Amino acid sequence: MKPSAPAIPLILGLSLLGASGAYLYMLFKKRRSNATGDLVDFFTRSTSKQDAPVAEIVIPNNLIPLVIGRKGYTLQHIQQSTGASINFVDNDESSQLCRIQGPSQAAVEKAKEMVLKETSRPITITEEVIVPQAACGKILGRCGDELQEICRKSMAKVWLEGRARSETERRVMITGTASQIKVAKELIAQKVREDHDSKKMLADPTRQTREPRIRTPPTSSAPTPVPSDGGMKLNTTSPKICVEKRNSSSFAAGQMEVFVSTIVSPSKFYVQLVGPQSTELDLLVLSMTEYYNQNQNRELHRLRKPYLGQIVAAEFNADNKWYRAEISAILPNEYKPGEVVLDLFFVDYGDNQYTNPNEVYELKPDFLALRFQAIECFLARVEPTQQSNLMPAPASATGEEEWDPVTVTRFEELTYVAQWKKIVSKIVTYRNSKSPLHGRETSPIPGVELYDTAPNGMDQINIAQQLIAEGLARPASSERLDELSRSQLFRLGLTNGTDGSSSQSSSIDKVDDVSASSSTSASTVISSGVHINGTGQTSPKVEQQQQQQPHQSVRYRSLANGAH
């Protein structure tokens, strides 16, 4: 049956409506799913992902810097390695939410693993320690060596704050992990204890004792040896002690307490200044002995190739303790051809010793902090008695006269050499010195007067006058005066108010009245640069020199830090 005329438009409309709907669906629905579940563009046939996989981790706030890293380098490395993106959002007051989104689940899991690994690392923090200001030198060490050792052992960064926290305290900053900071604090506390113990020992007079440091110590109780007359009649009776009244003001005028540590002769001996540095030297010897008695430390400082002037550590064969020494000569071994021996000069005591090179070791830098203590001197205003040929004793190239062994032995007894009894010293003149090492400038050698305490405990014994009274020496016929360079004048502490061009007569000590009266028996007395003969009259030659140039006085200034 044919459709009626009104039905035809209806059927046509429905057909057009279905075709239009299908076209519109195909036009706006450009994507469909493929077999893998990805969406494919209907026209371009390109695929796109569905919602990317995401992982979330809650991380405490104090661990966030570990994930981010310095300047964000750690976070960038994780993202570049995995292809994932990492963002942080606030979770609560103490933590943040780490959101990891990646192209695949495997990438997200790898990024999550790397983030968790970073959060498991120890946290680097900075703490401070308050230490006494006086202990900072012990913590720093020589040239910062001790501080570097603390950093090396603890693996932490340790430094002293630039400004002191107060006059008595200072802040030490430590950066590292908790375990590293703990080790650094223990090492710093150890240095503070060492500083406290050393100061306590310095302040305790009962502990400031020394053992004699001599191979064959002389005994003052033995009878005084009688010198050979050498053709001259000498007084062999018991010597009379030359006692001088002590003036309280004279001790302050340039006099110092010293120990006589080594004697070659009255023309060459070594002293140490009495003071805190004496106890510091004792502590140094104890530390060196403890350190070098360990085999592993000796192996660490084995001497490879010794050279002249090298400062080393060596054992003194008289007491088996370790001391600082300088290699003054390298000599052939007379008993073993082809080998050498080292002539060592102990810089704190002044004595020498021959040692095999394999028994000498490099000196640890920590043991160089203390100044060398031995000061070379000569006994002023005396000279050896004439020999049997009635000729004056010749002077050696080093300025040392030939002294009779009996005189040297008596001088050792009077000065208590290496027995650490305090005697008084005063600089009255000087002479130039020459170093055995080419090109090295040395300090001028002071000529000193030595005084011992008389038996009454009040007066003084002039040791030079005592040797003269016993016939073991004679007054010096002339003073040994050498021209000093400007730098040597500075080392000696001389000031003369001029440009340094004054004559030799103006470069000697201005001796006070007490010191001059104690030397009136000498044929020549030096006072304010004026030569006076034994009769008390000024020599004509000196009077002529005084008329030609104005009188200038020079004063000595002794340095209490071991220099002279």
Side-chain angles (χ1 to χ4, degrees), residues 1 47 93 99 187 204 240 306 335 368 396 400 439 477 492 525 530 539:
M1 162 175 97
T47 61
E93 295 181 355
R99 182 181 178 86
L187 295 173
D204 187 0
K240 181 181 178 181
Y335 304 99
L368 280 172
S396 65
E400 303 173 31
S477 57
L492 191 60
V525 176
V530 180
S539 62

Side-chain angles (χ1 to χ4, degrees), residues 308-489:
L308 290 180
Q310 184 177 9
I311 305 300
V312 297
E315 188 178 29
F316 189 56
N317 55 22
D319 57 9
N320 298 325
K321 293 181 180 179
W322 289 81
Y323 300 90
R324 304 185 295 184
E326 179 183 11
I327 299 177
S328 58
I330 302 177
L331 306 172
N333 193 329
E334 297 179 358
Y335 304 99
K336 296 181 179 180
E339 297 184 7
V340 297
V341 293
L342 304 180
D343 185 4
L344 301 180
F345 171 74
F346 291 95
V347 294
D348 295 307
Y349 295 86
D351 41 12
N352 290 69
Q353 174 178 290
Y354 291 115
T355 307
N356 292 325
N358 57 1
E359 297 176 355
V360 178
Y361 299 88
E362 294 177 344
L363 187 67
K364 186 181 179 183
D366 298 352
F367 298 136
L368 280 172
L370 183 66
R371 284 179 175 268
F372 299 154
Q373 299 297 302
I375 304 174
E376 182 180 355
C377 302
F378 67 93
L379 193 61
R381 298 173 180 168
V382 294
E383 62 184 16
T385 57
Q386 291 183 350
Q387 305 300 315
S388 57
N389 56 6
L390 301 181
M391 293 296 292
S396 65
T398 59
E400 303 173 31
E401 295 84 1
E402 295 294 334
W403 289 84
D404 189 278
V406 176
T407 305
V408 176
T409 301
R410 180 56 177 160
F411 184 56
E412 290 177 348
E413 294 178 354
L414 292 173
T415 57
Y416 309 95
V417 59
Q419 299 183 64
W420 318 122
K421 182 181 184 299
K422 300 177 184 178
I423 61 175
V424 177
S425 169
K426 181 178 181 179
I427 301 176
V428 295
T429 184
Y430 67 88
R431 74 176 178 216
N432 237 328
S433 63
K434 295 182 179 180
S435 173
L437 301 179
H438 178 70
R440 175 183 293 185
E441 185 179 4
T442 59
S443 299
I445 301 176
V448 299
E449 292 178 343
L450 297 178
Y451 298 91
D452 187 21
T453 304
N456 61 10
M458 298 295 296
D459 299 326
Q460 291 180 329
I461 301 174
N462 188 320
I463 293 178
Q465 295 301 315
Q466 185 67 31
L467 291 176
I468 294 174
E470 296 181 15
L472 301 176
R474 67 178 184 180
S477 57
S478 62
E479 287 289 344
R480 182 188 306 277
L481 298 176
D482 295 330
E483 192 70 33
L484 295 184
S485 65
R486 183 181 295 269
S487 61
Q488 288 176 326
L489 288 171

Side-chain angles (χ1 to χ4, degrees), residues 224-256:
T224 303
V226 179
S228 58
D229 55 8
M232 300 176 61
K233 184 176 181 180
L234 300 176
N235 184 13
T236 59
T237 60
S238 178
K240 181 181 178 181
I241 299 177
C242 299
V243 178
E244 300 176 1
K245 294 294 183 181
R246 174 181 292 180
N247 190 324
S248 59
S249 62
S250 67
F251 185 82
Q255 293 191 1
M256 302 168 291

Side-chain angles (χ1 to χ4, degrees), residues 69 80 124 129 131 155 170 265 301 339 355 443 489 499 517 524:
Q80 292 173 1
T124 300
V129 178
V131 299
M155 300 301 293
R170 196 165 181 179
S265 69
H301 298 281
E339 297 184 7
T355 307
S443 299
L489 288 171
D499 58 356
S517 63
T524 300

Side-chain angles (χ1 to χ4, degrees), residues 7 18 94 110 196 260 312 352 421 512 524 535 542 544 552:
S94 61
K110 183 179 180 182
H196 178 267
V260 177
V312 297
N352 290 69
K421 182 181 184 299
D512 54 19
T524 300
T535 61
V542 173
Q544 183 180 359
Q552 296 173 338

